Amino acid sequence: MRLPRSAAGWTIAVFGVLALLMGAVGLVWPEALLRLLGFEVPETRAPGDHTGTFLVASSMASFNMGVYYLLATATEWRPFFRFTVVFRLVTFAVFSIAVLADIAPGRFFGVAAWEGLGAVATAVGLWWDDRRAGPGAVGGGGGSAAGAVPAAGAVH
């Protein structure tokens, strides 16, 4: 696996690793993940309580999402980076509303904040990378990759 080649790539890689790890924790030790997120873990579950089923599904989704983010980082897939900014902000809004509406415990706002801050960090990374590449860079503007400036003596 290659290291990220841009500031935005680093933000995506960090999120990918953490999503992968949290997904793995949820699959291997679900009670720890529930406690970390601020949910109560009762000794026994009532009939019809499908918390475990939902946790397995969301943990697997988190694990897979981590893999997707790491693949996007390895390929420096900048349209994916931009896409995540928008949808992580949507996730921030939905998770914040869940806390404010008493659907989720207050500690769950940490997840919302992580999503919002991650979106902002990636947006800043994209801006920084485009600024470093400059307007004359190959692929400059919205889709440039860090270090995409032509080599000295390159034929244009």
Side-chain angles (χ1 to χ4, degrees):
M1 181 93 184
R2 289 192 226 176
L3 289 177
R5 298 181 299 276
S6 65
W10 275 104
T11 68
I12 296 294
V14 166
F15 183 74
V17 166
L18 289 174
L20 189 127
L21 290 175
M22 295 305 285
V25 167
L27 290 168
V28 174
W29 192 14
E31 296 82 14
L33 185 60
L34 287 172
R35 284 188 186 98
L36 180 68
L37 295 173
F39 293 102
E40 292 179 29
V41 180
E43 291 294 319
T44 59
R45 296 259 177 218
D49 180 348
H50 299 288
T51 302
T53 304
F54 180 77
L55 191 57
V56 166
S58 60
S59 293
M60 193 68 233
S62 178
F63 187 89
N64 286 340
M65 188 170 50
V67 172
Y68 304 152
Y69 273 63
L70 292 174
L71 276 170
T73 300
T75 61
E76 193 67 24
W77 189 20
R78 307 215 21 110
F80 180 83
F81 296 178
R82 287 189 294 277
F83 175 85
T84 67
V85 170
V86 173
F87 282 93
R88 289 185 78 189
L89 288 173
V90 169
T91 303
F92 164 76
V94 170
F95 287 1
S96 295
I97 290 168
V99 171
L100 295 172
D102 286 329
I103 296 168
R107 284 184 58 191
F108 195 70
F109 184 72
V111 179
W114 169 254
E115 292 289 343
L117 291 172
V120 170
T122 299
V124 168
L126 286 163
W127 171 81
W128 178 258
D129 294 339
D130 285 347
R131 186 170 176 237
R132 270 190 348 171
V138 174
S144 69
V149 179
V155 178
H156 298 272

mmCIF file of all heavy atoms in Angstrom, residues 32-72:
data_model
loop_
_atom_site.group_PDB
_atom_site.id
_atom_site.type_symbol
_atom_site.label_atom_id
_atom_site.label_comp_id
_atom_site.label_asym_id
_atom_site.label_seq_id
_atom_site.Cartn_x
_atom_site.Cartn_y
_atom_site.Cartn_z
ATOM 1 N N ALA A 32 -17.744 -3.501 23.315
ATOM 2 C CA ALA A 32 -16.779 -2.406 23.454
ATOM 3 C C ALA A 32 -17.164 -1.236 22.551
ATOM 4 O O ALA A 32 -17.075 -0.067 22.960
ATOM 5 C CB ALA A 32 -15.371 -2.892 23.127
ATOM 6 N N LEU A 33 -17.586 -1.544 21.354
ATOM 7 C CA LEU A 33 -17.982 -0.484 20.428
ATOM 8 C C LEU A 33 -19.223 0.239 20.935
ATOM 9 O O LEU A 33 -19.280 1.475 20.897
ATOM 10 C CB LEU A 33 -18.231 -1.058 19.030
ATOM 11 C CG LEU A 33 -18.540 -0.030 17.946
ATOM 12 C CD1 LEU A 33 -17.385 0.954 17.769
ATOM 13 C CD2 LEU A 33 -18.843 -0.725 16.637
ATOM 14 N N LEU A 34 -20.198 -0.501 21.432
ATOM 15 C CA LEU A 34 -21.398 0.134 21.978
ATOM 16 C C LEU A 34 -21.048 1.058 23.134
ATOM 17 O O LEU A 34 -21.550 2.185 23.207
ATOM 18 C CB LEU A 34 -22.399 -0.929 22.428
ATOM 19 C CG LEU A 34 -23.127 -1.675 21.314
ATOM 20 C CD1 LEU A 34 -23.931 -2.837 21.886
ATOM 21 C CD2 LEU A 34 -24.026 -0.728 20.530
ATOM 22 N N ARG A 35 -20.192 0.607 24.029
ATOM 23 C CA ARG A 35 -19.792 1.445 25.176
ATOM 24 C C ARG A 35 -19.040 2.687 24.697
ATOM 25 O O ARG A 35 -19.262 3.791 25.209
ATOM 26 C CB ARG A 35 -18.935 0.637 26.141
ATOM 27 C CG ARG A 35 -19.738 -0.316 26.982
ATOM 28 C CD ARG A 35 -18.888 -0.977 28.081
ATOM 29 N NE ARG A 35 -19.678 -1.991 28.755
ATOM 30 C CZ ARG A 35 -19.624 -3.287 28.471
ATOM 31 N NH1 ARG A 35 -18.794 -3.744 27.551
ATOM 32 N NH2 ARG A 35 -20.386 -4.140 29.120
ATOM 33 N N LEU A 36 -18.160 2.511 23.729
ATOM 34 C CA LEU A 36 -17.384 3.634 23.188
ATOM 35 C C LEU A 36 -18.308 4.706 22.605
ATOM 36 O O LEU A 36 -18.037 5.899 22.730
ATOM 37 C CB LEU A 36 -16.418 3.124 22.117
ATOM 38 C CG LEU A 36 -15.531 4.152 21.447
ATOM 39 C CD1 LEU A 36 -14.513 4.693 22.455
ATOM 40 C CD2 LEU A 36 -14.799 3.525 20.279
ATOM 41 N N LEU A 37 -19.405 4.268 21.996
ATOM 42 C CA LEU A 37 -20.347 5.198 21.386
ATOM 43 C C LEU A 37 -21.367 5.756 22.374
ATOM 44 O O LEU A 37 -22.214 6.567 22.019
ATOM 45 C CB LEU A 37 -21.072 4.518 20.222
ATOM 46 C CG LEU A 37 -20.175 4.138 19.047
ATOM 47 C CD1 LEU A 37 -20.953 3.315 18.031
ATOM 48 C CD2 LEU A 37 -19.578 5.368 18.405
ATOM 49 N N GLY A 38 -21.309 5.305 23.628
ATOM 50 C CA GLY A 38 -22.195 5.838 24.656
ATOM 51 C C GLY A 38 -23.500 5.101 24.821
ATOM 52 O O GLY A 38 -24.420 5.606 25.467
ATOM 53 N N PHE A 39 -23.601 3.908 24.258
ATOM 54 C CA PHE A 39 -24.819 3.118 24.402
ATOM 55 C C PHE A 39 -24.690 2.178 25.600
ATOM 56 O O PHE A 39 -23.609 1.688 25.895
ATOM 57 C CB PHE A 39 -25.090 2.294 23.138
ATOM 58 C CG PHE A 39 -25.432 3.132 21.948
ATOM 59 C CD1 PHE A 39 -24.492 3.386 20.965
ATOM 60 C CD2 PHE A 39 -26.697 3.687 21.813
ATOM 61 C CE1 PHE A 39 -24.800 4.161 19.867
ATOM 62 C CE2 PHE A 39 -27.019 4.460 20.716
ATOM 63 C CZ PHE A 39 -26.063 4.708 19.740
ATOM 64 N N GLU A 40 -25.824 1.906 26.254
ATOM 65 C CA GLU A 40 -25.840 0.951 27.359
ATOM 66 C C GLU A 40 -25.727 -0.465 26.801
ATOM 67 O O GLU A 40 -26.215 -0.759 25.713
ATOM 68 C CB GLU A 40 -27.136 1.075 28.148
ATOM 69 C CG GLU A 40 -27.261 2.386 28.896
ATOM 70 C CD GLU A 40 -28.570 2.474 29.645
ATOM 71 O OE1 GLU A 40 -29.117 1.426 30.059
ATOM 72 O OE2 GLU A 40 -29.047 3.602 29.813
ATOM 73 N N VAL A 41 -25.085 -1.329 27.570
ATOM 74 C CA VAL A 41 -24.976 -2.734 27.195
ATOM 75 C C VAL A 41 -25.632 -3.548 28.297
ATOM 76 O O VAL A 41 -25.030 -3.824 29.329
ATOM 77 C CB VAL A 41 -23.492 -3.146 27.008
ATOM 78 C CG1 VAL A 41 -23.400 -4.613 26.620
ATOM 79 C CG2 VAL A 41 -22.805 -2.258 25.990
ATOM 80 N N PRO A 42 -26.898 -3.937 28.093
ATOM 81 C CA PRO A 42 -27.601 -4.708 29.129
ATOM 82 C C PRO A 42 -27.038 -6.122 29.239
ATOM 83 O O PRO A 42 -26.431 -6.633 28.297
ATOM 84 C CB PRO A 42 -29.050 -4.724 28.636
ATOM 85 C CG PRO A 42 -28.967 -4.503 27.176
ATOM 86 C CD PRO A 42 -27.734 -3.683 26.930
ATOM 87 N N GLU A 43 -27.244 -6.725 30.391
ATOM 88 C CA GLU A 43 -26.792 -8.105 30.613
ATOM 89 C C GLU A 43 -27.456 -9.071 29.636
ATOM 90 O O GLU A 43 -26.827 -9.982 29.130
ATOM 91 C CB GLU A 43 -27.090 -8.529 32.057
ATOM 92 C CG GLU A 43 -26.242 -7.811 33.093
ATOM 93 C CD GLU A 43 -24.770 -8.171 32.972
ATOM 94 O OE1 GLU A 43 -24.447 -9.346 32.744
ATOM 95 O OE2 GLU A 43 -23.941 -7.250 33.103
ATOM 96 N N THR A 44 -28.750 -8.869 29.418
ATOM 97 C CA THR A 44 -29.490 -9.728 28.482
ATOM 98 C C THR A 44 -30.314 -8.843 27.566
ATOM 99 O O THR A 44 -30.653 -7.712 27.922
ATOM 100 C CB THR A 44 -30.427 -10.713 29.218
ATOM 101 O OG1 THR A 44 -31.352 -9.964 29.993
ATOM 102 C CG2 THR A 44 -29.648 -11.661 30.109
ATOM 103 N N ARG A 45 -30.637 -9.371 26.427
ATOM 104 C CA ARG A 45 -31.461 -8.645 25.460
ATOM 105 C C ARG A 45 -32.866 -9.236 25.451
ATOM 106 O O ARG A 45 -33.042 -10.451 25.571
ATOM 107 C CB ARG A 45 -30.857 -8.766 24.062
ATOM 108 C CG ARG A 45 -29.496 -8.119 23.958
ATOM 109 C CD ARG A 45 -29.620 -6.782 23.294
ATOM 110 N NE ARG A 45 -28.313 -6.119 23.248
ATOM 111 C CZ ARG A 45 -28.169 -4.838 23.435
ATOM 112 N NH1 ARG A 45 -29.211 -4.074 23.653
ATOM 113 N NH2 ARG A 45 -26.973 -4.298 23.394
ATOM 114 N N ALA A 46 -33.827 -8.377 25.280
ATOM 115 C CA ALA A 46 -35.230 -8.812 25.222
ATOM 116 C C ALA A 46 -35.496 -9.525 23.902
ATOM 117 O O ALA A 46 -34.812 -9.267 22.907
ATOM 118 C CB ALA A 46 -36.138 -7.590 25.345
ATOM 119 N N PRO A 47 -36.459 -10.420 23.895
ATOM 120 C CA PRO A 47 -36.828 -11.047 22.618
ATOM 121 C C PRO A 47 -37.213 -9.968 21.601
ATOM 122 O O PRO A 47 -37.857 -8.977 21.950
ATOM 123 C CB PRO A 47 -38.049 -11.904 22.971
ATOM 124 C CG PRO A 47 -37.945 -12.125 24.448
ATOM 125 C CD PRO A 47 -37.274 -10.896 25.003
ATOM 126 N N GLY A 48 -36.760 -10.132 20.386
ATOM 127 C CA GLY A 48 -37.042 -9.145 19.343
ATOM 128 C C GLY A 48 -36.040 -8.005 19.289
ATOM 129 O O GLY A 48 -36.145 -7.132 18.435
ATOM 130 N N ASP A 49 -35.099 -7.972 20.214
ATOM 131 C CA ASP A 49 -34.055 -6.943 20.200
ATOM 132 C C ASP A 49 -32.993 -7.362 19.185
ATOM 133 O O ASP A 49 -32.286 -8.334 19.382
ATOM 134 C CB ASP A 49 -33.440 -6.800 21.599
ATOM 135 C CG ASP A 49 -32.352 -5.733 21.652
ATOM 136 O OD1 ASP A 49 -31.905 -5.259 20.593
ATOM 137 O OD2 ASP A 49 -31.939 -5.387 22.772
ATOM 138 N N HIS A 50 -32.902 -6.614 18.124
ATOM 139 C CA HIS A 50 -31.974 -6.951 17.041
ATOM 140 C C HIS A 50 -30.752 -6.037 17.030
ATOM 141 O O HIS A 50 -30.146 -5.812 15.974
ATOM 142 C CB HIS A 50 -32.701 -6.907 15.698
ATOM 143 C CG HIS A 50 -33.828 -7.884 15.623
ATOM 144 N ND1 HIS A 50 -33.630 -9.243 15.529
ATOM 145 C CD2 HIS A 50 -35.167 -7.696 15.668
ATOM 146 C CE1 HIS A 50 -34.795 -9.857 15.495
ATOM 147 N NE2 HIS A 50 -35.742 -8.939 15.594
ATOM 148 N N THR A 51 -30.364 -5.551 18.193
ATOM 149 C CA THR A 51 -29.187 -4.686 18.296
ATOM 150 C C THR A 51 -27.956 -5.378 17.732
ATOM 151 O O THR A 51 -27.188 -4.770 16.982
ATOM 152 C CB THR A 51 -28.940 -4.282 19.768
ATOM 153 O OG1 THR A 51 -30.106 -3.626 20.256
ATOM 154 C CG2 THR A 51 -27.742 -3.375 19.894
ATOM 155 N N GLY A 52 -27.766 -6.644 18.076
ATOM 156 C CA GLY A 52 -26.597 -7.389 17.589
ATOM 157 C C GLY A 52 -26.574 -7.501 16.076
ATOM 158 O O GLY A 52 -25.535 -7.331 15.438
ATOM 159 N N THR A 53 -27.729 -7.767 15.501
ATOM 160 C CA THR A 53 -27.829 -7.871 14.042
ATOM 161 C C THR A 53 -27.473 -6.545 13.383
ATOM 162 O O THR A 53 -26.700 -6.492 12.421
ATOM 163 C CB THR A 53 -29.258 -8.277 13.625
ATOM 164 O OG1 THR A 53 -29.596 -9.488 14.288
ATOM 165 C CG2 THR A 53 -29.373 -8.453 12.133
ATOM 166 N N PHE A 54 -28.037 -5.467 13.918
ATOM 167 C CA PHE A 54 -27.751 -4.146 13.367
ATOM 168 C C PHE A 54 -26.278 -3.798 13.543
ATOM 169 O O PHE A 54 -25.656 -3.220 12.645
ATOM 170 C CB PHE A 54 -28.633 -3.078 14.015
ATOM 171 C CG PHE A 54 -28.373 -1.719 13.473
ATOM 172 C CD1 PHE A 54 -28.866 -1.350 12.230
ATOM 173 C CD2 PHE A 54 -27.592 -0.821 14.177
ATOM 174 C CE1 PHE A 54 -28.601 -0.101 11.702
ATOM 175 C CE2 PHE A 54 -27.324 0.434 13.663
ATOM 176 C CZ PHE A 54 -27.833 0.804 12.424
ATOM 177 N N LEU A 55 -25.710 -4.148 14.680
ATOM 178 C CA LEU A 55 -24.305 -3.841 14.935
ATOM 179 C C LEU A 55 -23.381 -4.596 13.978
ATOM 180 O O LEU A 55 -22.407 -4.034 13.473
ATOM 181 C CB LEU A 55 -23.943 -4.156 16.387
ATOM 182 C CG LEU A 55 -22.597 -3.636 16.851
ATOM 183 C CD1 LEU A 55 -22.494 -2.135 16.672
ATOM 184 C CD2 LEU A 55 -22.370 -3.997 18.300
ATOM 185 N N VAL A 56 -23.689 -5.853 13.711
ATOM 186 C CA VAL A 56 -22.894 -6.627 12.740
ATOM 187 C C VAL A 56 -22.980 -5.968 11.361
ATOM 188 O O VAL A 56 -21.965 -5.792 10.682
ATOM 189 C CB VAL A 56 -23.353 -8.101 12.670
ATOM 190 C CG1 VAL A 56 -22.774 -8.807 11.458
ATOM 191 C CG2 VAL A 56 -22.961 -8.836 13.941
ATOM 192 N N ALA A 57 -24.186 -5.581 10.961
ATOM 193 C CA ALA A 57 -24.364 -4.958 9.646
ATOM 194 C C ALA A 57 -23.616 -3.626 9.550
ATOM 195 O O ALA A 57 -22.900 -3.374 8.572
ATOM 196 C CB ALA A 57 -25.851 -4.753 9.360
ATOM 197 N N SER A 58 -23.754 -2.776 10.556
ATOM 198 C CA SER A 58 -23.083 -1.472 10.485
ATOM 199 C C SER A 58 -21.570 -1.607 10.651
ATOM 200 O O SER A 58 -20.811 -0.848 10.043
ATOM 201 C CB SER A 58 -23.674 -0.498 11.508
ATOM 202 O OG SER A 58 -23.537 -0.982 12.813
ATOM 203 N N SER A 59 -21.122 -2.568 11.435
ATOM 204 C CA SER A 59 -19.677 -2.785 11.584
ATOM 205 C C SER A 59 -19.063 -3.299 10.287
ATOM 206 O O SER A 59 -17.974 -2.887 9.892
ATOM 207 C CB SER A 59 -19.393 -3.770 12.718
ATOM 208 O OG SER A 59 -19.759 -3.205 13.956
ATOM 209 N N MET A 60 -19.775 -4.188 9.605
ATOM 210 C CA MET A 60 -19.287 -4.675 8.319
ATOM 211 C C MET A 60 -19.262 -3.545 7.301
ATOM 212 O O MET A 60 -18.318 -3.418 6.513
ATOM 213 C CB MET A 60 -20.164 -5.834 7.828
ATOM 214 C CG MET A 60 -19.577 -6.608 6.675
ATOM 215 S SD MET A 60 -18.109 -7.532 7.174
ATOM 216 C CE MET A 60 -16.952 -6.961 5.962
ATOM 217 N N ALA A 61 -20.273 -2.684 7.330
ATOM 218 C CA ALA A 61 -20.309 -1.527 6.430
ATOM 219 C C ALA A 61 -19.131 -0.593 6.726
ATOM 220 O O ALA A 61 -18.479 -0.087 5.806
ATOM 221 C CB ALA A 61 -21.632 -0.784 6.567
ATOM 222 N N SER A 62 -18.844 -0.368 7.998
ATOM 223 C CA SER A 62 -17.711 0.479 8.376
ATOM 224 C C SER A 62 -16.393 -0.137 7.909
ATOM 225 O O SER A 62 -15.529 0.561 7.378
ATOM 226 C CB SER A 62 -17.692 0.671 9.894
ATOM 227 O OG SER A 62 -16.589 1.436 10.287
ATOM 228 N N PHE A 63 -16.249 -1.422 8.098
ATOM 229 C CA PHE A 63 -15.034 -2.120 7.657
ATOM 230 C C PHE A 63 -14.867 -1.957 6.143
ATOM 231 O O PHE A 63 -13.796 -1.589 5.664
ATOM 232 C CB PHE A 63 -15.131 -3.598 8.044
ATOM 233 C CG PHE A 63 -13.872 -4.374 7.793
ATOM 234 C CD1 PHE A 63 -12.897 -4.460 8.765
ATOM 235 C CD2 PHE A 63 -13.661 -5.015 6.578
ATOM 236 C CE1 PHE A 63 -11.730 -5.173 8.536
ATOM 237 C CE2 PHE A 63 -12.496 -5.719 6.338
ATOM 238 C CZ PHE A 63 -11.530 -5.803 7.325
ATOM 239 N N ASN A 64 -15.934 -2.233 5.402
ATOM 240 C CA ASN A 64 -15.870 -2.096 3.942
ATOM 241 C C ASN A 64 -15.584 -0.662 3.523
ATOM 242 O O ASN A 64 -14.792 -0.420 2.604
ATOM 243 C CB ASN A 64 -17.180 -2.565 3.302
ATOM 244 C CG ASN A 64 -17.319 -4.062 3.321
ATOM 245 O OD1 ASN A 64 -16.347 -4.791 3.460
ATOM 246 N ND2 ASN A 64 -18.545 -4.529 3.187
ATOM 247 N N MET A 65 -16.218 0.292 4.179
ATOM 248 C CA MET A 65 -15.992 1.689 3.853
ATOM 249 C C MET A 65 -14.523 2.053 4.073
ATOM 250 O O MET A 65 -13.936 2.792 3.277
ATOM 251 C CB MET A 65 -16.892 2.582 4.701
ATOM 252 C CG MET A 65 -16.844 4.029 4.287
ATOM 253 S SD MET A 65 -18.092 5.048 5.085
ATOM 254 C CE MET A 65 -17.890 4.647 6.790
ATOM 255 N N GLY A 66 -13.934 1.529 5.130
ATOM 256 C CA GLY A 66 -12.512 1.770 5.361
ATOM 257 C C GLY A 66 -11.665 1.274 4.203
ATOM 258 O O GLY A 66 -10.736 1.953 3.762
ATOM 259 N N VAL A 67 -12.004 0.104 3.687
ATOM 260 C CA VAL A 67 -11.276 -0.442 2.529
ATOM 261 C C VAL A 67 -11.459 0.478 1.327
ATOM 262 O O VAL A 67 -10.499 0.784 0.614
ATOM 263 C CB VAL A 67 -11.735 -1.882 2.216
ATOM 264 C CG1 VAL A 67 -11.144 -2.378 0.903
ATOM 265 C CG2 VAL A 67 -11.354 -2.817 3.366
ATOM 266 N N TYR A 68 -12.693 0.942 1.084
ATOM 267 C CA TYR A 68 -12.943 1.831 -0.056
ATOM 268 C C TYR A 68 -12.125 3.118 0.060
ATOM 269 O O TYR A 68 -11.544 3.585 -0.919
ATOM 270 C CB TYR A 68 -14.421 2.213 -0.161
ATOM 271 C CG TYR A 68 -15.391 1.072 -0.254
ATOM 272 C CD1 TYR A 68 -16.690 1.208 0.212
ATOM 273 C CD2 TYR A 68 -15.034 -0.168 -0.793
ATOM 274 C CE1 TYR A 68 -17.603 0.170 0.140
ATOM 275 C CE2 TYR A 68 -15.934 -1.216 -0.872
ATOM 276 C CZ TYR A 68 -17.215 -1.044 -0.403
ATOM 277 O OH TYR A 68 -18.117 -2.063 -0.463
ATOM 278 N N TYR A 69 -12.089 3.686 1.246
ATOM 279 C CA TYR A 69 -11.329 4.918 1.449
ATOM 280 C C TYR A 69 -9.840 4.684 1.216
ATOM 281 O O TYR A 69 -9.158 5.520 0.635
ATOM 282 C CB TYR A 69 -11.573 5.468 2.857
ATOM 283 C CG TYR A 69 -12.774 6.374 2.955
ATOM 284 C CD1 TYR A 69 -14.061 5.896 2.702
ATOM 285 C CD2 TYR A 69 -12.634 7.696 3.310
ATOM 286 C CE1 TYR A 69 -15.158 6.721 2.791
ATOM 287 C CE2 TYR A 69 -13.735 8.531 3.409
ATOM 288 C CZ TYR A 69 -14.989 8.049 3.145
ATOM 289 O OH TYR A 69 -16.068 8.869 3.238
ATOM 290 N N LEU A 70 -9.331 3.556 1.676
ATOM 291 C CA LEU A 70 -7.909 3.272 1.473
ATOM 292 C C LEU A 70 -7.597 3.029 -0.007
ATOM 293 O O LEU A 70 -6.530 3.437 -0.492
ATOM 294 C CB LEU A 70 -7.469 2.102 2.343
ATOM 295 C CG LEU A 70 -7.481 2.415 3.841
ATOM 296 C CD1 LEU A 70 -7.174 1.162 4.661
ATOM 297 C CD2 LEU A 70 -6.507 3.541 4.176
ATOM 298 N N LEU A 71 -8.510 2.396 -0.722
ATOM 299 C CA LEU A 71 -8.318 2.241 -2.171
ATOM 300 C C LEU A 71 -8.330 3.602 -2.865
ATOM 301 O O LEU A 71 -7.524 3.848 -3.768
ATOM 302 C CB LEU A 71 -9.401 1.343 -2.762
ATOM 303 C CG LEU A 71 -9.154 -0.146 -2.667
ATOM 304 C CD1 LEU A 71 -10.400 -0.932 -3.053
ATOM 305 C CD2 LEU A 71 -7.982 -0.551 -3.530
ATOM 306 N N ALA A 72 -9.225 4.475 -2.471
ATOM 307 C CA ALA A 72 -9.274 5.821 -3.052
ATOM 308 C C ALA A 72 -7.973 6.573 -2.759
ATOM 309 O O ALA A 72 -7.468 7.308 -3.610
ATOM 310 C CB ALA A 72 -10.469 6.595 -2.512
#
